[in-house]
């Protein structure tokens, strides 16, 4: 394992940058690094380029105002764009409220303890809102959708701003970590289901005495495992000799709400939680021979967290099969607080970024999911059966279906190739003895099929009209010569978005077409090679698309996660309205932006288009070394922002915001 570098503000960034990718030649300069050096980071707009190139591309201030007025007129999104930039606060378009709804540590039950950052415990955390909110879904409880269940993933923890007096732990072998702190971390992972309600004044608040409120986490939430891998020898551990039950889920990134109203939690960077004490002279893990091929392909063990030092379950020297039990999609019925969540192995094992699904024209369920790793793949799952009225029957659709992986051909077609044991190269001769093996090693099966290695697939958002939007966030390890039509830029610092058009609007199609909607980054810098629609202003372009949503009017919205790379754009992460049709196609407009160091997740629009839920994840952490006037890594005692409380002694808190229009109307309409 390579040591994280001080250039990164927290371990998530550092480990991501040093992720073990076979094609990685080392640490080359990225385009962004070149740009940073050349233009002195992001004084670009105000400085050198501010008086030259911006005038020709975006026009002078007066021209810009006129252009923006014209854009506001033609845009399908009725709001006035906010300026890009970065500071300690969040910003929303004029005429809207963005109110804090739930913060890390807020009670989710009437009898839960209040947040006390100096005296945290796992018991308290189990009754409080978790850390690093990512996916947000909403399941209405009444016709008017004034009450509903908010389903929120808690992806990971940042111990350096979460715990007093600790600092970053990955640099020195986690010397400050204890079993108590690890248990708090576990209790802060997973997800929260909580009832929220809107009052007569249009204000949303949590309902703390609701019977539905629950936390789902890796400390003590029981789950079952179903699908082809359930009960297989490779799923068995000391704690679960049958291979059919498991405690919890973690690193839940994006997710989805199924057409039948269940909550899907995608398990993403599970590899980072596993430990080994068996290291070679270079400090690299020595894998057990029996598990070496699979664990290597999945990056296990990552050693990002100290969990395996205190819990044998996370130590592959003791439990080499445990990693096989993570990297799946978990389904939870939020309407039944006693129900056991289910890990569905029919959807394949990889670093699932998300799990957005819909009812296809045929009546079948189709679910899209990206594998968020450099050079990994885009998948979709098609159920065998059709969606009906019976919820429990519908839940069976995620146990019985076909997983496909995408090959993006140069002729703008896409082949969806099935991962089925016995078909093509997926045979015993190639190491697959059963469909269980195929699902556990979905990545290796996809390798054999010749799937297209992508620039880090993040959220994939299907549209009911037959199109599908694939967020490819960035990939600075793609070398010149490794480009392909669907990943056209080497050293891709800013990412792109692919639009798939499923044949005849049928999401079950196995041969469809694709094109690129936008290539991201600054359109002023030719070297970047960005392409945007004509009405994109200097504030509207972005880098590193991450999550996506389709609103009630069928329009696309994109949220970004640049990590420490925000200094390559000079903008914090935000929510952008992105046109998909007509002459404005590819034009983007900034609606909301996060405080320094945060990424933006969610977003989720209610069916009446009057409420938007946004999740601000890890405020105050990413890239604070480039934050002018701060220029250091954040700690609990010394964070770059104390958003959203701004109170001495209170650290920054990941929070879900609720956005409404001040006049109570529909958002952006
Ligand atoms: Fe958790 Fe791929 O972002
Ligand atoms: Ca994400």
């Amino acid at each position: 394992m390579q040591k994280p570098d001080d250039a990164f503000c927290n371990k998530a960034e550092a480990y991501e940058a040093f992720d073990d990718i076979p094609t990685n030649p080392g640490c080359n300069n990225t385009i962004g690094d070149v740009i940073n050096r050349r233009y002195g980071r992001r004084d670009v707009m105000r400085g050198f380029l501010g008086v030259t190139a911006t005038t020709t591309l975006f026009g002078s201030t007066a021209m810009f105002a006129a252009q923006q007025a014209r854009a506001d007129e033609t845009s399908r999104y009725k709001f006035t764009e906010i300026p890009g930039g970065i500071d300690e606060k969040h910003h929303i378009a004029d005429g809207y409220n963005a109110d804090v709804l739930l913060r890390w540590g807020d009670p989710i039950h009437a009898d839960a303890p209040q947040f006390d950052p100096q005296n945290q415990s796992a018991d308290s955390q189990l009754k409080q809102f978790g850390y690093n909110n990512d996916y947000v879904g909403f399941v209405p409880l009444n016709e008017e959708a004034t009450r509903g269940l908010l389903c929120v993933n808690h992806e990971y923890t940042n111990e350096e701003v979460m715990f007093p007096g600790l600092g970053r732990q990955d640099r020195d072998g986690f010397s400050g970590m204890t079993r108590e702190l690890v248990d708090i971390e576990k209790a802060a992972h997973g997800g929260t289901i909580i009832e929220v309600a809107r009052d007569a004044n249009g204000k949303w608040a949590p309902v703390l005495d609701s019977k539905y409120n629950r936390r789902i986490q890796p400390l003590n939430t029981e789950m079952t495992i179903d699908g082809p891998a359930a009960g297989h020898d490779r799923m068995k551990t000391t704690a679960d000799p049958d291979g059919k039950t498991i405690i919890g889920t973690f690193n839940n990134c994006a997710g989805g709400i199924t057409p039948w109203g269940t909550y899907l939690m995608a398990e993403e960077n599970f590899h980072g939680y596993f430990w080994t004490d068996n290291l070679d002279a270079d400090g690299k893990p020595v894998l057990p021979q029996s598990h070496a091929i699979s664990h290597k392909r999945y990056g296990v063990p990552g050693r990002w967290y100290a969990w395996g030092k205190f819990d044998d379950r996370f130590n592959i020297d003791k439990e080499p099969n445990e990693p096989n039990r993570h990297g799946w999609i978990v389904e939870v019925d939020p309407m039944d607080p006693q129900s056991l969540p289910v890990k569905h192995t029919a959807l394949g094992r990889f670093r699932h970024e998300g799990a957005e699904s819909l009812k296809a024209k045929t009546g079948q369920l189709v679910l899209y999911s990206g594998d968020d790793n450099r050079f990994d793949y885009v998948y979709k799952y098609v159920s065998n059966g059709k969606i009906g009225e019976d919820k429990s029957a519908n839940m069976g659709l995620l146990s019985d279906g076909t997983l496909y992986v995408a090959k993006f051909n140069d002729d703008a077609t896409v082949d969806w190739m099935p991962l089925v044991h016995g078909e093509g190269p997926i045979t015993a001769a190639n190491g697959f003895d059963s469909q269980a093996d195929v699902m556990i090693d979905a990545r290796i099966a996809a390798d054999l099929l010749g799937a297209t290695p992508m620039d880090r697939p993040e959220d994939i958002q299907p549209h009911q009209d037959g199109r599908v939007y694939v967020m490819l966030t960035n990939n600075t390890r793609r070398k010149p010569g490794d480009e392909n039509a669907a990943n056209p830029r080497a050293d891709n610092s800013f990412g792109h978005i692919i639009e798939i058009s499923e044949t005849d609007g049928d999401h079950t199609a196995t041969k469809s077409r694709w094109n690129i909607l936008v290539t991201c980054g600054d359109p002023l810098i030719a070297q970047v090679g960005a392409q945007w629609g004509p009405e994109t202003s200097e504030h509207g372009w972005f880098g590193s698309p991450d999550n996506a949503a389709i609103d009630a009017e069928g329009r696309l919205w994109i949220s970004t996660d640049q990590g420490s790379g925000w200094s390559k754009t000079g903008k914090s992460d935000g929510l952008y309205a992105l046109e998909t049709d007509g002459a404005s196609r590819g034009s983007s407009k900034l609606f909301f932006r996060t405080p320094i160091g945060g990424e933006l997740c969610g977003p989720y629009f209610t069916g009446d288009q009057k409420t938007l839920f946004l999740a601000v994840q890890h405020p105050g952490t990413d890239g604070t070394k480039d934050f002018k006037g701060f220029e250091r890594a954040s700690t609990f005692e010394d964070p770059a922002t104390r958003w959203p409380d701004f109170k001495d002694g209170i650290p920054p808190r990941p929070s879900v915001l609720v956005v409404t229009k001040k006049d109570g109307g529909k958002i952006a309409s």
Side-chain angles (χ1 to χ4, degrees):
M1 181 188 67
Q2 209 156 359
K3 270 301 212 193
D5 192 279
D6 275 353
F8 298 99
C9 285
N10 61 57
K11 67 176 175 227
E13 289 172 25
Y15 281 107
E16 182 182 291
F18 288 100
D19 217 344
D20 177 35
I21 300 302
T23 52
N24 168 23
C27 246
N28 295 328
N29 280 323
T30 65
I31 285 178
D33 295 332
V34 173
I35 293 162
N36 279 342
R37 274 205 297 278
R38 188 160 163 209
Y39 299 128
R41 305 220 179 263
R42 280 305 300 192
D43 292 322
V44 174
M45 286 303 174
R46 289 191 307 271
F48 168 66
L49 279 172
V51 289
T52 55
T54 50
T55 316
T56 52
L57 188 67
F58 293 129
S60 65
T61 306
M63 281 168 67
F64 173 65
Q67 180 197 32
Q68 190 160 39
R70 200 171 59 246
D72 285 347
E73 192 114 315
T74 56
S75 173
R76 290 177 73 206
Y77 304 83
K78 304 300 179 196
F79 69 88
T80 301
E81 178 169 59
I82 61 169
I86 191 149
D87 57 39
E88 292 89 341
K89 298 179 180 161
H90 70 265
H91 297 268
I92 184 90
D94 270 354
Y96 292 85
N97 292 315
D99 299 325
V100 175
L101 181 64
L102 284 159
R103 299 162 295 186
W104 162 52
D106 278 348
I108 66 152
H109 299 290
D111 64 350
Q114 293 297 315
F115 178 60
D116 179 356
Q118 295 290 341
N119 294 290
Q120 299 176 57
S121 72
D123 282 347
S124 301
Q125 181 65 78
L126 288 174
K127 298 175 186 159
Q128 296 168 336
F129 196 61
Y131 206 80
N132 274 349
N133 30 228
D134 196 301
Y135 178 75
V136 182
F138 177 80
V139 178
L141 286 172
N142 60 8
E143 190 102 344
E144 309 75 41
T146 55
R147 289 175 56 222
L149 300 181
L150 212 59
C151 303
V152 183
N153 282 352
H154 302 294
E155 186 180 11
Y156 67 99
T157 47
N158 294 82
E159 74 279 341
E160 72 277 16
V161 286
M162 189 175 172
F163 299 123
L166 203 64
R168 243 175 82 184
Q169 289 293 297
D170 49 318
R171 290 174 171 164
D172 63 356
F174 301 95
S175 63
M177 291 306 288
T178 61
R179 175 178 290 275
E180 287 68 31
L181 290 175
V182 163
D183 283 353
I184 297 169
E185 285 189 315
K186 288 180 183 170
H189 276 69
T192 296
I193 296 169
I194 184 166
E195 183 175 338
V196 293
R198 192 174 74 193
D199 68 16
N201 298 319
K203 289 286 178 197
W204 288 89
V207 180
L208 294 187
D209 58 3
S210 170
K211 67 178 180 184
Y212 298 109
N213 298 355
R214 73 187 285 200
R215 288 292 320 285
I216 289 152
Q217 30 68 31
L219 193 60
N220 63 19
T221 305
E222 286 180 39
M223 309 193 165
T224 60
I225 301 170
D226 82 355
H232 190 275
D233 281 351
R234 296 178 67 190
M235 300 292 277
K236 293 174 181 171
T237 62
T238 307
D240 173 24
D242 295 330
K244 291 181 177 171
T245 57
I246 189 163
I247 300 296
T249 177
F250 51 86
N251 207 276
N252 306 94
C253 193
I257 301 293
T258 61
W260 50 88
T262 55
Y263 162 34
L264 300 180
M265 307 169 73
E267 298 183 337
E268 196 192 23
N269 293 304
F270 64 94
H271 62 295
Y273 295 76
F274 290 94
W275 189 263
T276 180
D277 292 307
N278 198 0
L279 304 175
D280 67 14
D282 297 328
K284 292 212 172 82
V286 179
L287 298 170
Q289 198 59 39
S290 54
H291 294 68
I293 292 171
S294 180
H295 283 356
K296 185 164 194 298
R297 183 65 179 87
Y298 283 85
V300 170
R303 300 175 93 232
W304 297 2
Y305 286 88
W307 297 12
K309 290 182 76 173
F310 302 99
D311 182 349
D312 287 351
R313 179 153 88 103
F314 295 94
N315 184 339
I316 66 161
D317 308 339
K318 311 264 176 62
E319 295 291 349
N321 279 346
E322 185 66 27
N324 296 342
R325 295 148 60 82
H326 303 274
W328 305 103
I329 299 289
V330 179
E331 183 178 25
V332 189
D333 183 0
M335 299 300 291
D336 180 358
Q338 266 70 53
S339 61
L340 296 187
V342 182
K343 287 204 185 191
H344 288 298
T345 66
L347 282 73
R349 175 171 164 267
F350 48 92
R351 295 184 201 166
H352 284 278
E353 163 73 23
E356 294 284 4
S357 63
L358 46 58
K359 182 178 181 177
K361 278 167 120 179
T362 58
Q364 289 155 284
L365 185 277
V366 179
L367 183 148
Y368 293 84
S369 194
D371 185 352
D372 184 3
N373 201 40
R374 296 177 184 88
F375 305 107
D376 260 293
Y377 308 133
V378 166
Y379 296 82
K380 79 173 174 187
Y381 170 86
V382 180
S383 69
N384 285 337
K386 294 181 180 177
I387 298 171
E389 295 299 314
D390 178 353
K391 188 199 274 186
S392 62
N394 289 336
M395 288 176 78
L397 296 177
L398 293 175
S399 313
D400 180 22
T402 304
L403 183 67
Y404 297 86
V405 68
K407 184 175 182 193
F408 292 88
N409 301 306
D410 287 359
D411 66 357
T413 60
V414 55
D415 291 315
W416 290 106
M417 306 179 292
L419 278 73
V420 175
H421 182 250
E423 286 190 17
I426 308 176
T427 59
N430 285 322
F432 296 94
D433 287 334
S434 65
Q435 188 64 14
D437 280 336
V438 179
M439 293 294 100
I440 292 169
D441 287 326
R443 278 185 167 183
I444 299 172
D447 293 343
L448 286 171
L449 288 170
T452 304
M454 309 298 286
D455 286 347
R456 285 190 57 200
E458 296 265 15
D459 203 6
I460 301 179
Q461 183 63 55
H463 193 296
Q464 208 64 49
D465 70 6
R467 291 183 287 182
V468 183
Y469 296 94
V470 182
M471 307 301 117
L472 297 159
T473 198
N474 55 58
N475 181 359
T476 53
R477 304 291 169 85
R478 189 176 290 281
K479 293 182 290 184
D482 281 346
E483 304 95 331
N484 54 54
N487 300 275
R489 289 187 291 185
D491 198 4
N492 181 4
S493 285
F494 304 104
H496 55 289
I497 298 176
I498 284 182
E499 180 186 71
I500 296 170
S501 296
E502 299 282 32
T503 301
D504 299 328
D506 175 5
H507 286 89
T508 71
T510 54
K511 179 105 185 173
S512 300
R513 298 191 68 77
W514 66 269
N515 64 77
I516 292 178
L517 176 59
V518 287
T519 46
C520 303
D522 190 340
L524 296 181
I525 302 173
Q527 200 179 1
V528 168
Q531 288 189 313
W532 296 96
E535 280 144 20
T536 309
S537 81
E538 63 183 294
H539 308 297
W541 62 266
F542 57 79
S544 298
D546 187 346
N547 298 117
I550 305 286
D551 70 14
E553 298 180 15
R555 301 171 299 187
L556 181 64
W557 298 76
I558 307 294
S559 68
T560 62
D561 173 17
Q562 304 166 101
S564 55
W566 67 263
S567 60
K568 298 174 188 172
T569 65
K571 306 173 176 201
S572 61
D573 284 316
L575 183 68
Y576 296 83
L578 183 56
E579 304 270 4
T580 53
D581 295 287
S584 301
R585 181 176 159 86
S587 298
S588 171
K589 233 165 77 166
L590 178 58
F591 181 68
F592 172 93
R593 65 178 160 91
T594 65
I596 169 71
E599 70 169 280
L600 189 63
C601 303
Y604 196 95
F605 291 88
T606 54
D608 62 5
Q609 190 61 23
K610 290 184 175 175
T611 301
L612 160 65
F613 296 105
L614 294 174
V616 174
Q617 191 174 161
H618 56 70
T621 66
D622 283 6
T624 56
K625 287 219 163 96
D626 295 323
F627 186 37
K628 284 204 168 59
F630 187 76
E631 289 148 350
R632 55 192 182 269
S634 284
T635 61
F636 181 96
E637 288 75 18
D638 176 32
T641 178
R642 293 188 184 277
W643 186 93
D645 298 302
F646 295 105
K647 282 190 188 143
D648 285 348
I650 304 293
R653 299 167 77 182
S655 301
V656 170
L657 303 182
V658 57
V659 174
T660 50
K661 204 170 179 183
K662 286 180 176 163
D663 67 7
K666 294 183 177 185
I667 293 169
S669 299

